[in-house]
Amino acid sequence: MTTAFHALHHADRPLLLPNAWDFASAAALSAAGFAAIGTTSLGVAAANGIPDAAGLARDETVALAGRLVRLPCPVTVDIEAGFSTDPAEVGDLAVELAELGVAGVNLEDGRDDHLADPAAQEALVREVKRRAPGIFLNARTDTYWLGVEASVPATLDRARRYVDAGADGVFVPGLAREEDIAAVTAAVPVPVNVLHLPALGLDRLAELGVRRVSTGSLLFRAALGAAVGTAVAVRDGGQLPAGIPGYVEVDALSG
């Protein structure tokens, strides 16, 4: 699965990676024909009553990964900031996930409202690739996401450091201006990942050099909205939304 997942970043069109939060959502997305499935740290954390990006959802993340590897497609897991500042512990996590059969991980440099020291983040990246060399390490930099050092030069400085440390891809959530996207993809020698941008379709993002597009927490948030909207419709006598899967269809996902 890891070799196939790497190859998906070098196709004619960017890899559209939907992000799931539990087995059912991942299985449904796989059944819909998506080539690979990612996880959303917000969805995994919130579904378990845990705040996102707080480093508290390690057990829940690993447990979900162990279920998702049953799917017939590659799976990449969002491990927030690694759930530790100790490179050895983050390396242990990468090995554990790789041994389960996970094809990739997302590792971010955001820490609450600030960015990690780039040298410390390099050490995490380097240890993950040393311990689990086959795993696709998507190094996320939160310069634009946090609005800290939100410029192309600062982003490129971090991206190049992480690539030099062994990252297989670079993820810049919040990067949205066409000229900024083009500048980053032109200067980074590995596949660049952005979040889904409603104003820019996959074809335009491909023209700008993007190789991977993630939905992030969008699907989880949409599912919450749909669930509440359906409950309100039942309560208030409104019309149920179209497209609700049947009981048998959902039950079959676990098979």
Side-chain angles (χ1 to χ4, degrees), residues 104-107 124-125 128-129 135-139 166-170:
V105 295
N106 243 40
L107 180 65
L124 297 184
V125 171
V128 167
K129 289 303 294 182
I135 210 161
F136 188 103
L137 173 52
N138 204 33
D168 300 289
V170 169

Side-chain angles (χ1 to χ4, degrees), residues 13-14 200-208:
R13 207 160 185 246
L200 298 175
L202 287 180
D203 290 338
R204 180 57 183 149
L205 289 171
E207 292 171 354
L208 295 172

Side-chain angles (χ1 to χ4, degrees), residues 108-164:
E108 64 197 43
D109 64 6
R111 303 290 188 275
D112 297 321
D113 59 352
H114 67 281
L115 297 170
D117 174 77
Q121 191 70 11
E122 280 181 74
L124 297 184
V125 171
R126 187 172 291 107
E127 186 66 5
V128 167
K129 289 303 294 182
R130 185 184 74 82
R131 301 279 305 282
I135 210 161
F136 188 103
L137 173 52
N138 204 33
R140 168 175 155 173
T141 181
D142 284 342
T143 48
Y144 283 85
W145 186 251
L146 295 179
V148 179
E149 302 178 28
S151 69
V152 168
T155 299
L156 288 178
D157 178 67
R158 286 179 173 270
R160 288 171 176 144
R161 284 172 175 261
Y162 304 156
V163 171
D164 288 345

Side-chain angles (χ1 to χ4, degrees), residues 184-230:
V184 171
T185 61
V188 175
V190 297
V192 172
N193 180 187
V194 299
L195 280 176
H196 162 66
L197 298 166
L200 298 175
L202 287 180
D203 290 338
R204 180 57 183 149
L205 289 171
E207 292 171 354
L208 295 172
V210 172
R211 304 312 315 149
R212 172 164 150 183
V213 178
S214 301
T215 61
S217 65
L218 173 63
L219 304 184
F220 175 68
R221 291 182 286 110
L224 286 181
V228 173
T230 301

Side-chain angles (χ1 to χ4, degrees), residues 221-242:
R221 291 182 286 110
L224 286 181
V228 173
T230 301
V232 169
V234 171
R235 182 190 67 192
D236 298 345
Q239 185 168 354
L240 297 182

